Amino acid sequence: MRYTKQQWYTPAEVAIHNTASDCWVSANGNVYNLTPWLEEQIRLCKCTKTCSCPTKNWFCNDCVEYCPCFKRGYVYCDAKRLAMTILMYAGKDLSYWFKDGNWVQQIHPITGSTVTYRKHGHGYRNPVVPSTRWRPFEPWWRGDKYVVGKATAKTRPIRITNTLTGSTVTLEVCSEETIYEIMMRYLPHNSHLMSYTWRYMGKSLCLKKTLEENGILDERDRFNDVALAENMHIPAILLYYDDDLTEDPPRDECFCGDVTCKINKPAACYKSTST
C-alpha cells in the first residue's frame, strides 16, 4: 500500500495547533504553519526585557519586568504586536481578515488615508502615520512557504464497518477527500487495508472519487429541513475481507509504542500487521 501525505484538514485538526511552539491557522482555503514565522518575528524585537517567570519564553504572561513598550501604554511589545495577534488566533480561521486575497482595508479616522484594518494595531514595521520606522512587510499568506495543506469547506461524518471483526469506526472527513484519502484516516484502525474491498449498498467504491461521486450523499441538510437530528443516519461503508495473503510494506512508525523500541527500531515492530 502506498502511503500519502494528508492534503485536506478539518477545523478540529487545525484547532489543536494553538500554541506558540505549534501555531497553525487557516485562511483563504489554505492551512498555514506559522511557527517558523512567529520565531522570525520575535527575533525582530530589540527591547531590553528581563523575564522573571521560570519558563523563560517570549510568550509567557507572568513577567514582572516589562520592556519600554509596556511603559508607554502598549498592550503588547510593539515589535511583537503582529506575532502576538497571530498567536491569539492560533488554531482558528482568519479568512474574514482578507478580501480578494488582500487584507481588509479601512479609511483611517485621523490621517484619512486607506490603510489595512488590523484590530490589534499595525506594529512597528508598518505604522499608520508617516515614520522612518516603516519597513517592507512580507505577507505570510502569499505563496506556499508556510502552507501545509488545504482547509475543507465542509466536513461530514462517515461510518466504516469491518464485516470480518464487526468493529465500526465513525470518522469526520473532508467532503473533498477521495476514498483513498479516507483510507489514510482509517489506517490507524486497520493497517492491512489492501486486503479489504470497500463497498456501499453492495457496490464497490472507486478510490479516486469522493463520497459524493460514489453516490454516498450527505443528507444532513434534508434532516434539518424536517427538524430531525443530523446524526440520525450516518452512511456506512462496509469492508469485506478478501484473504489475499498480501502484506503491506513496512511503515516509518512503530505500532507497539515502546520507547526503547522506537530508539532501536527493530524490523519486527515496523512490519504492518493485519486486523
Side-chain angles (χ1 to χ4, degrees), residues 105-151:
Q105 296 184 339
Q106 67 168 353
I107 302 298
H108 196 271
I110 299 178
T111 62
S113 58
T114 303
V115 296
T116 57
Y117 174 72
R118 302 182 186 179
K119 182 177 180 181
H120 301 283
H122 286 72
Y124 85 112
R125 300 184 68 185
N126 295 89
V128 176
V129 297
S131 173
T132 57
R133 295 186 303 170
W134 188 91
R135 296 293 185 274
F137 173 69
E138 179 184 0
W140 52 263
W141 62 91
R142 294 180 181 174
D144 300 332
K145 183 177 181 180
Y146 303 108
V147 175
V148 295
K150 299 179 181 179

Side-chain angles (χ1 to χ4, degrees), residues 12-264:
E13 292 175 323
V14 179
I16 60 176
H17 302 275
N18 56 3
T19 62
S21 58
D22 186 17
C23 177
W24 287 22
V25 297
S26 60
N28 304 323
N30 293 324
V31 178
Y32 300 87
N33 180 11
L34 297 184
T35 305
W37 181 84
L38 283 177
E39 296 176 353
E40 183 64 25
Q41 290 295 313
I42 296 307
R43 294 191 186 100
L44 299 175
C45 181
K46 305 299 182 182
C47 299
T48 303
K49 174 185 173 183
T50 303
C51 179
S52 61
C53 60
T55 56
K56 302 298 180 185
N57 292 324
W58 60 267
F59 53 86
C60 51
N61 298 319
D62 299 326
C63 303
V64 176
E65 298 183 15
Y66 302 101
C67 68
C69 295
F70 286 90
K71 297 179 181 179
R72 294 197 300 266
Y74 293 104
V75 179
Y76 303 121
C77 176
D78 192 43
K80 301 179 182 179
R81 185 186 302 273
L82 185 58
M84 294 299 293
T85 302
I86 295 297
L87 184 58
M88 289 177 59
Y89 294 90
K92 299 180 181 179
D93 183 73
L94 308 181
S95 298
Y96 64 95
W97 287 11
F98 306 93
K99 182 179 181 180
D100 299 332
N102 297 317
W103 210 298
V104 175
Q105 296 184 339
Q106 67 168 353
I107 302 298
H108 196 271
I110 299 178
T111 62
S113 58
T114 303
V115 296
T116 57
Y117 174 72
R118 302 182 186 179
K119 182 177 180 181
H120 301 283
H122 286 72
Y124 85 112
R125 300 184 68 185
N126 295 89
V128 176
V129 297
S131 173
T132 57
R133 295 186 303 170
W134 188 91
R135 296 293 185 274
F137 173 69
E138 179 184 0
W140 52 263
W141 62 91
R142 294 180 181 174
D144 300 332
K145 183 177 181 180
Y146 303 108
V147 175
V148 295
K150 299 179 181 179
T152 180
K154 184 179 181 181
T155 61
R156 59 173 300 182
I158 190 70
R159 287 189 299 146
I160 302 178
T161 301
N162 190 333
T163 58
L164 178 65
T165 62
S167 61
T168 300
V169 177
T170 302
L171 301 176
E172 183 186 30
V173 301
C174 304
S175 57
E176 301 88 352
E177 287 182 323
T178 62
I179 299 298
Y180 191 86
E181 291 174 321
I182 295 177
M183 292 173 65
M184 295 296 100
R185 292 182 178 272
Y186 182 69
L187 183 62
H189 305 278
N190 189 342
S191 61
H192 201 44
L193 291 178
M194 298 309 295
S195 293
Y196 290 83
T197 299
W198 289 48
R199 294 183 179 180
Y200 176 75
M201 302 293 290
K203 297 181 180 179
S204 299
L205 301 179
C206 179
L207 303 184
K208 297 181 179 180
K209 296 182 179 180
T210 63
L211 294 173
E212 294 281 346
E213 293 172 345
N214 276 285
I216 308 177
L217 304 179
D218 186 5
E219 300 179 317
R220 290 179 295 173
D221 293 337
R222 297 181 57 186
F223 294 157
N224 290 331
D225 293 339
V226 294
L228 295 177
E230 291 184 351
N231 59 351
M232 180 178 180
H233 171 69
I234 300 177
I237 298 177
L238 302 182
L239 274 60
Y240 294 91
Y241 188 58
D242 296 331
D243 194 15
D244 56 357
L245 302 179
T246 59
E247 293 184 1
D248 286 345
R251 299 181 63 192
D252 294 333
E253 57 181 288
C254 181
F255 294 91
C256 68
D258 186 9
V259 177
T260 58
C261 177
K262 292 182 178 181
I263 296 177
N264 299 327

